[in-house]
Amino acid sequence: MPAMHQTFTESTDRSFGSRHVPLIRQAMAAQGLDGFLVPHEDEHQNEYLPAANDRLAWATGFTGSAGAAVILKDKAAVFVDGRYTLQVRDQVDQATFEIRDLVDGGVPAYLEIATGPGQVVGYDPRLHSPDALDRIRAAITKAGAALKAVTPNPLDEAWAGARPPQPQAPVVPQPLDYSGEDSAEKRSRVGAVIAGVNAEAAVLTAPSSIAWLFNVRGGDVIRSPLPIGQAILNRDGTARLFLDPAKVTPELPAWLGNQVRLETPDDLAEALAELKGKRVLVDPAQSSAWYFDALAAAGAEVVRGEDPCALPRATKNAREIAGTTNAHVRDGVALARFLHWLATEAQTTFPDEIEVVTKLEGLRQATGALKDLSFDTIAGALGNAALPHYRPTERLNKRTEPGSLLLVDSGAQYLDGTTDVTRTVAMGEPSQEMRERFTLVLQGHLALASVRFPVGTTGSALDVLARLPLWSRDLDYDHGTGHGVGVYLGVHEGPHRIAKMPNFVALRPGMIVSNEPGFYKEGEYGIRIENLQYVAGPDPVPGGERPMLRFEALTLAPIDRRLIVAEMLSPAERGQLDAYHARVLAEIGPRVEADVRAWLTIACAPL
Amino acid sequence: MPAMHQTFTESTDRSFGSRHVPLIRQAMAAQGLDGFLVPHEDEHQNEYLPAANDRLAWATGFTGSAGAAVILKDKAAVFVDGRYTLQVRDQVDQATFEIRDLVDGGVPAYLEIATGPGQVVGYDPRLHSPDALDRIRAAITKAGAALKAVTPNPLDEAWAGARPPQPQAPVVPQPLDYSGEDSAEKRSRVGAVIAGVNAEAAVLTAPSSIAWLFNVRGGDVIRSPLPIGQAILNRDGTARLFLDPAKVTPELPAWLGNQVRLETPDDLAEALAELKGKRVLVDPAQSSAWYFDALAAAGAEVVRGEDPCALPRATKNAREIAGTTNAHVRDGVALARFLHWLATEAQTTFPDEIEVVTKLEGLRQATGALKDLSFDTIAGALGNAALPHYRPTERLNKRTEPGSLLLVDSGAQYLDGTTDVTRTVAMGEPSQEMRERFTLVLQGHLALASVRFPVGTTGSALDVLARLPLWSRDLDYDHGTGHGVGVYLGVHEGPHRIAKMPNFVALRPGMIVSNEPGFYKEGEYGIRIENLQYVAGPDPVPGGERPMLRFEALTLAPIDRRLIVAEMLSPAERGQLDAYHARVLAEIGPRVEADVRAWLTIACAPL
């Protein structure tokens, strides 16, 4: 049996701040800096970072997926959003760091007060988006201080001895059987997008864009098959691809073909300089200020706009949908075995969270196709489930108990697709309140799963459907309802999403998006029901006048009927759930053992 | 009986373009211009214009509420959005004007192609927002042409002999009984908003802001009690108010008090010059480039931001809600009499649209409190009802017929409130398709009327609720679902709205908003159901965790039960409609004559 992907140790502890900040301050002093900015983002503006690039964690101890720190000579602050309020207090030494809100005021408001005339605050231009820097510069200037780009990064100097090596996972072809479209075709299509904004080339730095555009996969970013690299794509479809030679596999040059010149990261600066006088598209949300500065210095005209791969990548083709459908059937087999175990043996042994995670990963390994998890499994028992971004560790691990809920949010990376599924399961006999609130969450999930919507509708227009049943009881949840998902790519990808926050991206056929309403009672329990679904259609009905779209579920796993108050469901909701369960049984039943099938038949029977 | 407010003549005809464009071109030539821009907006960026300011109508014949024209030496184009596609073809001479889309490319795209090197295109800086001008300037510059601010406006020169006089309606106090808050308090509150963006003063140019802030009303803008004027409000609450002396009534100076200096429009330029060196808040959506240019020339620092009166004005106080509630009861009496007439006598006489409009205005006059209509009544018979912005005229007037629908969208201005209501009524026996689609529209209306939503929710998040029943049959409508409404102010006011288009303004207690889904079958019939409702709450339920808001209906008028397919309604929807009808009967029944009451009792009986 292969080693577990997921581990239960903690990569940081509360001593990190008091041990590392003095080292950073020494390096700052050597460069004459009064302050230094430490964002969560790395050189590639990734959400999930290689350990070697998690500077914020090393400086502060905080390991969340969003945040920042400011280190001044005599004080320091760490900034997180509402999702991480509890976690940051658990992980960060508050004698070293003041804890502040990332959204409300954030770094600029702090700098405006905490810095003063004549002071110099340094930043590493590879780590900040130009927009974020503009806001910070305005605040610092107001305080009379100055913002200065510095090389080398004083944190990197302080970290030098202990820093993990940069990832160098091999970059391999992703066969056409899975991608469904030749890289040359993709480059030609994206080239037309570049021409459409009257640019001559685009600089691409998002690992997911590199992977998608060139039909390659790597492994530099944790839990995602993404290669770190950069590319310059010309409007004629030719490209220059910059990859660490250590990652280039022998088959790669032939796979890329003669329209793609393979170069090293050392060649990048000169390649940017050669764009002199040209209009070049760069995405300020994906590419750091370093690229903007380099292009400006070269005399190129920068066109700020969305990464031209983002929308084509999000709109999956038929082959990708077929692949991810297969991946979800395979994952559904592992899930059926897992949920069978939870419904039978685990109801007497009451496993702890780590045992739950280990069991599920073992069942996914048993498919023989698991490349990686798509993220660390969130198995939350009791009050841990009320933390939407919880990850079990040896220290935090809780055992399930009778009369409680177990929330398991997990996913897998397979060559043909990426999965992400949450099921909440009753351990012992759940309370009536738990069942009622689970049913409200289920009603929201069903409403979003079944909506028909006109072409042009955005995810933010649909978000309310998942919340309405909770709202009717004065309840809600504080996270988005759905995120985009890749096909053997990142488990979070844009540009579409389903959330309260307004979004201007219309849902298009082929987009994959999660449907995951929840309810959380702090310190007591958490509920979430998540399926992945893709946008299907158009699919007209008789007498209709508008081209309409709908969602088709990808995830195939029963929803715990012990948690459903059947009388709360309308006949239509009941019919919808029964039809979903019938599909789960038809697809998964023939693929599992007799005892699992017998259980699945009952779990999927009409309500 | 007083004269009718509404008239049925047309203020333009299709000869306007061929008669007026040559005159404009002469005046352009005298100033050396190759082109001239004619926006719909006037000096006050109003939606509804005084006739003296409807330059677009005079130049082109087009009378819609949004649009623009470009007049070049040898060609011209008029630009409208999708709402006005049919109307523009009816009103504009296409030998003179090419018709183009206002949204898709619009004026800038046209200018980029239609102008060339060395050409000079003029504009009147009082008529354009700075943002719109920036886009136009970029396009013209790309073409090698130049954009030039000109005085006098060549269209105004050409129009001089025939132009109606500027409105000079008297400006009168709006008593505290109706406004509920002293102007000094309002000025102090808004002054704090100005201080909050670190500005020293704000320039206010929106007539609705002038009216609200100083508790005055006027009559310069058609169908709205709005005075045209400008003000400079200082952060300490003192103000300078610029009004044409001909409009100043004797009681006004004492009403304004000694913290408000009353001046003439001629004093405005110098007053702006005195803002030198100060930070001044101006709303680029409300104030034209002329203000930005004048402040920049004076050496003031312009802070672009929303009109600081917009949000306080939209959030009505208890006295305003009480006033508008009274206005809606009064209007409900007129509506009950009107709907009784439509359900009885009109079912045999089959009136035409003008007779319908005249009847309704007469019944509103009979309340003794009607100040004006809040907009020209839209009475649409047969296919005319499928035009959401239709206005009956002698030329277009249609007679109702058996087996058809009559759509009546109307409203009144009373001292204590502004109403806006749409009812669709069956004439003779409606078809099953009409009844089914009416019921879908009703279901959407009821869903939006009954939603409970958390504090912080925007109108765009709720829009889908009104559309979902239509979407389920692949139907939709192409207008917003709800607009803000004033209290004896404009019938359209922001900053909130309920629409597909993303909006970042959260709904707050006291905001009034319409709820008006519809369905339109081109050339055949139109359906719309509109109530005004206000945001009430917070209003907790037991076991709830979040502060929630809800809507309370203001409009009191029965919904035509002959158009409802009762079996399509859920028990909850039926209960909601029955409760609404019971409230209509309880409020209006005691206030109408016996025959109307007898009919109302049946019209409001449980389904």
Side-chain angles (χ1 to χ4, degrees):
Chain A
M1 183 173 158
M4 281 275 291
H5 289 286
Q6 189 157 343
T7 62
F8 304 99
T9 53
E10 294 178 48
S11 57
T12 70
D13 64 59
R14 217 181 288 179
S15 75
F16 269 41
S18 61
R19 290 196 287 125
H20 299 159
V21 166
L23 304 176
I24 299 169
R25 285 190 173 130
Q26 274 177 28
M28 283 162 51
Q31 295 198 37
L33 298 176
D34 300 291
F36 187 68
L37 308 179
V38 183
H40 173 268
E41 291 74 25
D42 71 352
E43 290 85 335
H44 315 285
Q45 305 287 305
N46 286 317
E47 178 183 13
Y48 298 122
L49 305 176
N53 290 352
D54 201 347
R55 296 176 175 89
L56 184 65
W58 186 76
T60 67
F62 172 68
T63 58
S65 66
V70 173
I71 299 173
L72 301 173
K73 275 181 167 169
D74 53 354
K75 57 186 164 182
V78 62
F79 302 79
V80 302
D81 63 42
R83 297 175 296 175
Y84 289 115
T85 316
L86 296 174
Q87 182 177 330
V88 73
R89 282 173 210 290
D90 183 49
Q91 294 186 314
V92 171
D93 167 27
Q94 292 181 56
T96 307
F97 284 99
E98 181 186 353
I99 292 171
R100 297 180 70 101
D101 193 281
L102 183 67
V103 180
D104 188 17
V107 173
Y110 176 77
L111 286 169
E112 190 175 337
I113 293 161
T115 63
Q119 292 189 347
V120 177
V121 177
Y123 71 96
D124 181 339
R126 299 168 305 162
L127 309 185
H128 300 263
S129 79
D131 294 350
L133 276 182
D134 285 348
R135 288 190 295 273
I136 288 172
R137 185 176 291 110
I140 285 194
T141 307
K142 236 182 220 169
L147 188 65
K148 184 182 173 192
V150 295
T151 311
N153 180 326
L155 185 151
D156 292 357
E157 290 185 293
W159 196 6
R163 188 174 177 183
Q166 284 294 321
Q168 291 190 324
V171 178
V172 299
Q174 174 74 346
L176 201 60
D177 270 0
Y178 300 125
S179 70
E181 186 181 14
D182 195 64
S183 170
E185 272 172 64
K186 290 182 178 178
R187 283 182 276 115
S188 159
R189 278 207 292 148
V190 178
V193 175
I194 296 169
V197 297
N198 210 8
E200 290 169 75
V203 175
L204 305 175
T205 63
S208 58
S209 292
I210 303 293
W212 175 81
L213 183 63
F214 297 104
N215 285 334
V216 297
R217 295 296 186 270
D220 296 335
V221 179
I222 192 163
R223 304 283 172 252
S224 315
L226 299 177
I228 285 175
Q230 298 83 19
I232 297 173
L233 176 64
N234 300 307
R235 63 196 286 173
D236 66 3
T238 62
R240 304 172 72 168
L241 174 59
F242 305 87
L243 289 179
D244 183 338
K247 301 195 292 194
V248 175
T249 52
E251 65 271 36
L252 201 62
W255 177 250
L256 294 171
N258 58 15
Q259 300 293 299
V260 179
R261 201 188 327 165
L262 195 52
E263 302 178 65
T264 78
D266 293 341
D267 302 324
L268 178 62
E270 199 177 312
L272 294 177
E274 289 168 19
L275 293 172
K276 177 178 173 157
K278 297 193 173 167
R279 280 172 60 88
V280 181
L281 177 63
V282 195
D283 185 343
Q286 296 289 348
S287 302
S288 70
W290 184 86
Y291 294 93
F292 291 81
D293 295 347
L295 287 166
E301 183 187 347
V302 174
V303 181
R304 290 182 179 213
E306 187 179 70
D307 180 337
C309 297
L311 200 54
R313 182 180 60 228
T315 314
K316 317 301 183 203
N317 60 40
R319 187 62 65 96
E320 289 172 306
I321 293 294
T324 203
T325 299
N326 285 339
H328 279 84
V329 170
R330 183 183 311 119
D331 209 48
V333 169
L335 287 167
R337 289 170 178 153
F338 172 68
L339 293 170
H340 168 248
W341 172 74
L342 277 180
T344 53
E345 188 184 326
Q347 293 289 331
T348 55
T349 58
F350 290 99
D352 65 22
E353 293 165 352
I354 291 178
E355 289 164 351
V356 168
V357 170
T358 305
K359 178 75 182 182
L360 178 54
E361 187 173 325
L363 290 166
R364 283 193 164 119
Q365 281 289 8
T367 66
L370 184 71
K371 304 292 283 186
D372 197 349
L373 304 179
S374 59
F375 57 96
D376 281 336
T377 296
I378 298 168
L382 315 176
N384 281 347
L387 307 168
H389 289 78
Y390 176 71
R391 182 180 75 89
T393 65
E394 301 285 2
R395 183 168 66 91
L396 303 172
N397 187 28
K398 271 193 168 42
R399 182 163 292 281
T400 58
E401 282 177 12
S404 74
L405 298 181
L406 172 68
L407 185 157
V408 184
D409 187 352
S410 70
Q413 293 283 7
Y414 302 107
L415 259 183
D416 48 2
T418 302
T419 71
D420 181 1
V421 49
T422 309
R423 286 296 180 269
T424 304
V425 170
M427 300 301 293
E429 190 61 36
S431 72
Q432 183 63 15
E433 180 188 285
M434 289 170 179
R435 296 178 70 231
E436 284 178 5
R437 292 182 178 185
F438 182 91
T439 307
L440 296 171
V441 172
L442 174 62
Q443 289 176 296
H445 176 89
L446 292 173
L448 182 58
S450 63
V451 63
R452 295 176 66 79
F453 52 96
V455 169
T457 302
T458 66
S460 54
L462 301 180
D463 177 77
V464 64
L465 301 177
R467 300 182 191 271
L468 213 53
L470 287 163
W471 285 3
S472 74
R473 306 282 188 100
D474 292 14
L475 306 172
D476 200 1
Y477 53 92
D478 290 325
H479 57 71
T481 301
H483 55 85
V485 177
V487 171
Y488 194 42
L489 283 174
V491 74
H492 288 170
E493 73 169 34
H496 59 297
R497 59 192 303 243
I498 299 176
K500 283 182 177 179
M501 178 68 67
N503 174 304
F504 292 83
V505 180
L507 294 168
R508 288 173 169 79
M511 284 180 166
I512 299 173
V513 65
S514 68
N515 171 354
E516 48 179 314
F519 173 77
Y520 308 94
K521 188 155 184 175
E522 197 182 320
E524 297 195 28
Y525 62 87
I527 294 164
R528 188 159 66 250
I529 302 171
E530 176 188 23
N531 278 0
L532 298 192
Q533 50 196 29
Y534 69 91
V535 180
D539 165 45
V541 298
E545 298 179 352
R546 304 289 175 115
M548 304 294 284
L549 303 172
R550 63 182 176 82
F551 293 118
E552 180 75 31
L554 285 166
T555 303
L556 297 169
I559 290 167
D560 191 349
R561 57 202 298 124
R562 294 168 302 162
L563 284 168
I564 301 172
V565 182
E567 312 83 69
M568 287 169 63
L569 300 185
S570 71
E573 288 168 333
R574 217 184 262 232
Q576 186 188 344
L577 183 68
D578 288 346
Y580 174 71
H581 273 153
R583 193 182 143 208
V584 172
L585 181 62
E587 299 265 15
I588 306 299
R591 292 177 163 89
V592 291
E593 307 70 40
D595 59 337
V596 177
R597 186 163 58 246
W599 167 80
L600 191 66
T601 305
I602 296 163
C604 291
L607 266 195
Chain B
M1 181 171 156
M4 281 276 289
H5 290 285
Q6 188 157 343
T7 61
F8 305 99
T9 54
E10 294 177 50
S11 57
T12 69
D13 64 58
R14 215 180 292 179
S15 75
F16 269 40
S18 60
R19 289 196 287 124
H20 299 158
V21 167
L23 305 176
I24 299 170
R25 285 190 174 130
Q26 274 175 28
M28 282 163 50
Q31 294 199 38
L33 298 176
D34 301 291
F36 187 67
L37 307 180
V38 184
H40 172 267
E41 291 75 23
D42 71 352
E43 290 84 336
H44 315 284
Q45 305 288 305
N46 286 316
E47 179 183 12
Y48 298 123
L49 305 177
N53 291 351
D54 201 348
R55 295 176 176 90
L56 184 65
W58 186 76
T60 68
F62 172 68
T63 59
S65 67
V70 172
I71 299 173
L72 302 173
K73 276 181 168 170
D74 53 354
K75 55 185 165 183
V78 63
F79 300 80
V80 302
D81 63 41
R83 297 174 296 175
Y84 289 114
T85 315
L86 296 174
Q87 183 176 329
V88 74
R89 281 173 210 289
D90 183 49
Q91 294 186 314
V92 172
D93 167 27
Q94 293 181 56
T96 307
F97 284 99
E98 181 186 352
I99 293 170
R100 298 180 69 102
D101 192 281
L102 183 66
V103 181
D104 189 16
V107 173
Y110 176 76
L111 287 169
E112 191 175 337
I113 292 161
T115 63
Q119 293 190 346
V120 177
V121 177
Y123 71 96
D124 181 338
R126 299 168 303 161
L127 309 185
H128 299 264
S129 80
D131 294 349
L133 275 183
D134 284 347
R135 287 189 295 273
I136 288 172
R137 186 175 290 110
I140 284 193
T141 308
K142 234 181 222 172
L147 188 65
K148 184 183 174 192
V150 295
T151 311
N153 179 326
L155 185 150
D156 292 356
E157 292 185 293
W159 196 6
R163 187 174 176 181
Q166 284 295 320
Q168 290 189 326
V171 178
V172 299
Q174 173 75 346
L176 203 59
D177 271 0
Y178 300 125
S179 70
E181 186 181 13
D182 194 65
S183 170
E185 272 172 64
K186 290 182 179 180
R187 284 183 274 113
S188 160
R189 279 208 291 147
V190 177
V193 174
I194 296 169
V197 298
N198 210 9
E200 290 168 75
V203 175
L204 305 174
T205 63
S208 58
S209 292
I210 303 294
W212 175 82
L213 182 65
F214 298 103
N215 285 335
V216 297
R217 295 295 187 269
D220 296 334
V221 179
I222 192 163
R223 303 282 173 254
S224 316
L226 299 178
I228 285 176
Q230 298 82 20
I232 297 172
L233 176 64
N234 300 307
R235 62 196 286 172
D236 67 3
T238 62
R240 306 173 70 168
L241 174 59
F242 305 88
L243 288 179
D244 183 338
K247 302 194 291 193
V248 175
T249 51
E251 65 271 35
L252 201 62
W255 176 250
L256 294 170
N258 57 15
Q259 301 292 299
V260 178
R261 200 187 329 163
L262 195 53
E263 303 178 67
T264 77
D266 292 340
D267 303 323
L268 178 63
E270 199 177 311
L272 293 177
E274 288 169 20
L275 293 172
K276 178 179 174 156
K278 296 194 174 167
R279 280 171 61 87
V280 182
L281 178 63
V282 195
D283 185 342
Q286 296 289 347
S287 303
S288 70
W290 183 87
Y291 294 92
F292 290 82
D293 294 347
L295 287 166
E301 184 186 348
V302 175
V303 180
R304 291 182 178 213
E306 187 177 70
D307 180 336
C309 297
L311 201 54
R313 182 180 62 227
T315 314
K316 317 301 183 202
N317 60 39
R319 188 61 67 96
E320 290 172 306
I321 293 295
T324 202
T325 299
N326 285 339
H328 279 84
V329 170
R330 183 184 310 118
D331 209 50
V333 169
L335 286 168
R337 290 169 178 154
F338 173 68
L339 292 169
H340 167 247
W341 173 74
L342 277 181
T344 54
E345 187 184 327
Q347 294 288 331
T348 55
T349 58
F350 291 97
D352 65 24
E353 294 164 354
I354 291 178
E355 290 163 351
V356 168
V357 170
T358 305
K359 178 77 182 181
L360 178 55
E361 186 172 324
L363 290 166
R364 282 195 165 116
Q365 281 288 9
T367 65
L370 185 70
K371 303 293 283 186
D372 197 348
L373 304 179
S374 59
F375 56 97
D376 280 336
T377 296
I378 298 168
L382 315 177
N384 282 347
L387 306 168
H389 290 78
Y390 177 71
R391 181 180 76 89
T393 67
E394 302 284 3
R395 183 169 65 91
L396 303 171
N397 187 28
K398 272 193 167 39
R399 182 162 292 281
T400 58
E401 284 177 11
S404 74
L405 299 182
L406 172 67
L407 183 157
V408 185
D409 187 351
S410 70
Q413 294 283 7
Y414 302 107
L415 261 181
D416 48 3
T418 302
T419 71
D420 182 1
V421 49
T422 309
R423 288 295 181 269
T424 305
V425 170
M427 300 303 292
E429 189 61 38
S431 71
Q432 183 63 14
E433 181 189 285
M434 289 171 179
R435 298 177 70 232
E436 284 178 6
R437 293 184 176 183
F438 183 91
T439 307
L440 295 171
V441 172
L442 174 63
Q443 289 177 295
H445 176 90
L446 292 173
L448 182 58
S450 62
V451 63
R452 296 176 66 78
F453 52 96
V455 168
T457 302
T458 66
S460 54
L462 301 180
D463 176 79
V464 64
L465 301 178
R467 298 182 193 271
L468 213 53
L470 287 163
W471 285 4
S472 75
R473 307 282 188 101
D474 292 14
L475 306 172
D476 200 2
Y477 53 93
D478 290 325
H479 57 71
T481 301
H483 55 84
V485 177
V487 171
Y488 195 41
L489 283 174
V491 74
H492 288 169
E493 74 171 31
H496 59 297
R497 61 193 301 245
I498 299 176
K500 283 182 177 180
M501 180 66 69
N503 174 302
F504 291 84
V505 180
L507 294 168
R508 288 171 169 77
M511 284 181 165
I512 299 174
V513 66
S514 69
N515 170 354
E516 49 178 314
F519 173 76
Y520 308 93
K521 187 156 184 176
E522 195 182 322
E524 297 194 27
Y525 61 88
I527 294 164
R528 189 159 64 249
I529 302 171
E530 176 187 24
N531 277 1
L532 298 192
Q533 50 196 30
Y534 69 91
V535 180
D539 166 43
V541 299
E545 298 179 352
R546 304 289 176 115
M548 304 293 286
L549 303 172
R550 64 182 177 81
F551 294 116
E552 181 75 30
L554 286 165
T555 303
L556 296 169
I559 290 167
D560 191 348
R561 56 203 298 122
R562 294 169 301 161
L563 284 169
I564 301 172
V565 182
E567 313 81 68
M568 286 170 63
L569 300 184
S570 72
E573 287 167 334
R574 219 184 259 232
Q576 185 188 345
L577 183 68
D578 288 347
Y580 173 71
H581 274 152
R583 193 181 144 208
V584 172
L585 182 61
E587 299 266 16
I588 306 299
R591 293 177 163 89
V592 291
E593 309 70 41
D595 58 338
V596 177
R597 187 162 56 247
W599 167 80
L600 192 64
T601 306
I602 296 164
C604 292
L607 266 197

